[in-house]
């Protein structure tokens, strides 16, 4: 990796308690050219020497996807280089391999972000089979919504994790939903916190955060280990913003050690959204002979498997 630049908009969206689409796309227009300049300067390369241009083509907010994809397509056409449309979720899914030998081994991949929670059987590069997904809220969404109820900042995951560090995770017995299914559900957990909250008095924040976080970790851990056994793989990977969570990483790693699975996660900076994971997916695809047509449209609901 020669350079990785991120123009975070979190501070601007924070005051609205979540992402405002119109604001996001306006910022993309302003920041895309500046980021390109910053990245080429940091990498000490001339943009004309770049081998290929890639962008996220979905899933995500249409107006933001369009700006990224149009920028990459424009550069690819102007400089006569290949264009690669990359699935945002494939970026997450491959990110645990970014620091290794770049060989994508068969694995059970748990993707946990603000918009998605899925378990995927990875057979190899570009061969992904959906095992289960959330039927309502994503894990990160549950963190964000519960943090909002508790009056904590956005994004909620890091806030809840911070408070949970000093808490007793066994104090509140919160629901673990759909344990016998390969799918996930987190809205019941969120509702349980909503009903519990008005009844609580005194000092409960740390214990509630720890109990809530543990309920999510329990579900993710149990389903991921079950999938690895069922699909007979020896490697488990985890990615997406929620995989920054230290407790999730530690407990997943311990469970993998106990059950005899290998475990891989991306470095924390690669877990939340970034362009490096999209470039990484694009370079693996380019090496494998893939390219996209510049006529390929973005798709806000693009499926991975
Ligand atoms: O992958 P990501 O950056 O964006 C999406 O594609 O959605 O994930 C963002 C999500 C947010 O919901 C955020 O609260 C959550 O990841 N997150 C965390 C932590 N850091 C970020 N959740 C739990 N613990 C964390 N430390
Ligand atoms: Zn993401």
């Amino acid at each position: 990796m020669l350079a990785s630049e991120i123009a975070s908009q979190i501070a601007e969206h924070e005051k609205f308690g979540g992402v405002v689409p119109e604001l996001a796309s306006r910022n993309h227009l302003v920041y895309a050219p500046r980021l390109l300049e910053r990245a080429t300067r940091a990498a000490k390369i001339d943009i004309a020497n770049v081998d290929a241009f890639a962008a996220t083509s979905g899933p995500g907010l249409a107006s933001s996807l369009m700006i990224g994809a149009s920028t990459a397509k424009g550069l690819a056409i102007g400089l006569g280089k290949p264009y690669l449309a990359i699935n945002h979720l494939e970026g997450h899914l491959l990110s645990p391999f970014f620091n290794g030998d770049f060989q994508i081994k068969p694995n059970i991949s748990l993707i946990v972000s603000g918009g998605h929670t899925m378990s995927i059987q990875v057979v190899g590069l570009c061969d992904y089979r959906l095992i289960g997904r959330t039927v309502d809220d994503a894990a990160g969404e549950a963190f964000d919504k519960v943090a909002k109820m508790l009056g904590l900042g956005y994004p909620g995951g890091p806030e809840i994790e911070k408070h949970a560090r000093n808490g007793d995770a066994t104090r509140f017995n919160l629901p673990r939903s759909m344990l016998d299914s390969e799918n996930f559900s987190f809205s019941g957990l969120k509702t349980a916190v909503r009903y519990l909250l008005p009844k609580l008095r005194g000092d409960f924040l740390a214990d509630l955060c720890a109990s809530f976080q543990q309920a999510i970790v329990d579900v993710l851990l149990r389903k991921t280990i079950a999938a690895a056994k069922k699909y007979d793989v020896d490697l488990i990977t985890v990615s997406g913003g929620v995989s920054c969570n230290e407790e999730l990483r530690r407990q997943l790693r311990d469970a993998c050690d106990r059950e005899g699975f290998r475990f891989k996660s991306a470095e924390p900076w690669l877990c939340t959204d970034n362009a490096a994971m999209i470039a990484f997916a694009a370079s693996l695809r380019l090496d494998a002979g893939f390219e996209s047509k510049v006529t390929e449209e973005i798709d806000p609901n693009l499926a991975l498997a």
Side-chain angles (χ1 to χ4, degrees), residues 61-72:
L61 291 172
S63 48
S64 295
L65 293 170
M66 214 131 57
I67 293 161
S70 304
T71 306

Side-chain angles (χ1 to χ4, degrees), residues 177-190:
S177 303
M178 290 178 71
L179 282 183
D180 294 324
S181 164
E182 289 183 319
N183 286 328
F184 301 82
S185 165
F186 295 109
S187 79
L189 172 60
K190 173 192 67 189

Side-chain angles (χ1 to χ4, degrees), residues 112-157:
V112 270
S113 72
H116 294 84
T117 294
M118 14 171 94
S119 159
I120 288 166
Q121 182 192 6
V122 176
V123 180
L125 184 68
C126 306
D127 190 349
Y128 314 127
R129 301 172 191 181
L130 182 69
I131 297 171
R133 65 187 329 156
T134 179
V135 297
D136 40 54
D137 292 349
E141 194 179 352
F143 270 102
D144 294 338
K145 287 178 175 171
V146 166
K148 203 170 182 174
M149 281 181 225
L150 297 174
L152 305 174
Y154 172 86

Side-chain angles (χ1 to χ4, degrees), residues 88-89 92 113-114 240-241 271-273 277:
H88 176 88
L89 298 169
H92 280 307
S113 72
C271 292
T272 45
D273 289 349
M277 70 185 190

